[in-house]
Amino acid sequence: LSQGTARRVPLKIYVGLALCSMVSIGATNTASSMIGYVPQVAGKSLKLAIVMVGGMIMGQRFKGAEWMAAVMVCVGVPGFLLATAKSDGAAFDIRGVGLLAVALAADSSVYNIQEHICFKKYHAPQNEVAAWSYLFAAIQT
């Protein structure tokens, strides 16, 4: 951008990225009024697994240690969420968990679109992706 180079990624990709970011932030903020902080943090840690699934769909391969980490998170988080919901007096509404799932899906979409489309397919520099994504996010909000 600053060197006068042409934009490499189509504008519709940046609009999609901004929309996914907006959905992620909105769903997270709305979920925060429905579930407590601890379940939110635990639920957000599932992002690793969701990003891996998106990466697999786009043809990415992962190492054994990465799979092990994802399995450990996926096994531990649901139990932690259920234990917290039963023992903690904080709010725990299943709709908040659904919104958190929507936020995670949108957030992982941002990562996978940036990684596999912007950087690998179009070979866009990071400053271009950040500038255009934030520009459209600002316009959409």
Side-chain angles (χ1 to χ4, degrees):
L1 287 173
S2 61
Q3 293 100 2
T5 59
R7 178 181 34 82
R8 296 182 185 180
V9 180
L11 289 177
K12 65 183 179 182
I13 301 292
Y14 290 128
V15 171
L17 281 170
L19 186 61
C20 287
S21 294
M22 196 170 68
V23 167
S24 175
I25 292 167
T28 299
N29 289 344
T30 305
S32 69
S33 67
M34 297 178 179
I35 59 176
Y37 179 74
V38 173
Q40 270 186 31
V41 171
K44 279 290 217 175
S45 66
L46 288 172
K47 180 180 174 184
L48 165 70
I50 295 170
V51 167
M52 285 180 74
V53 168
M56 286 178 9
I57 291 169
M58 295 184 161
Q60 187 173 353
R61 296 237 186 260
F62 296 97
K63 297 176 184 171
E66 293 167 323
W67 280 110
M68 183 59 80
V71 167
M72 290 172 63
V73 167
C74 288
V75 168
V77 168
F80 185 76
L81 287 172
L82 289 173
T84 303
K86 290 180 180 178
S87 66
D88 192 6
F92 190 85
D93 188 336
I94 194 69
R95 294 175 299 173
V97 175
L99 282 169
L100 193 57
V102 168
L104 285 169
D107 204 21
S108 71
S109 295
V110 169
Y111 172 79
N112 282 311
I113 290 168
Q114 286 178 340
E115 181 70 24
H116 297 283
I117 295 176
C118 296
F119 297 136
K120 289 184 180 175
K121 182 177 179 181
Y122 291 106
H123 307 287
Q126 286 183 337
N127 62 345
E128 175 189 318
V129 174
W132 284 100
S133 297
Y134 291 144
L135 173 68
F136 281 109
I139 291 169
Q140 287 177 356
T141 55

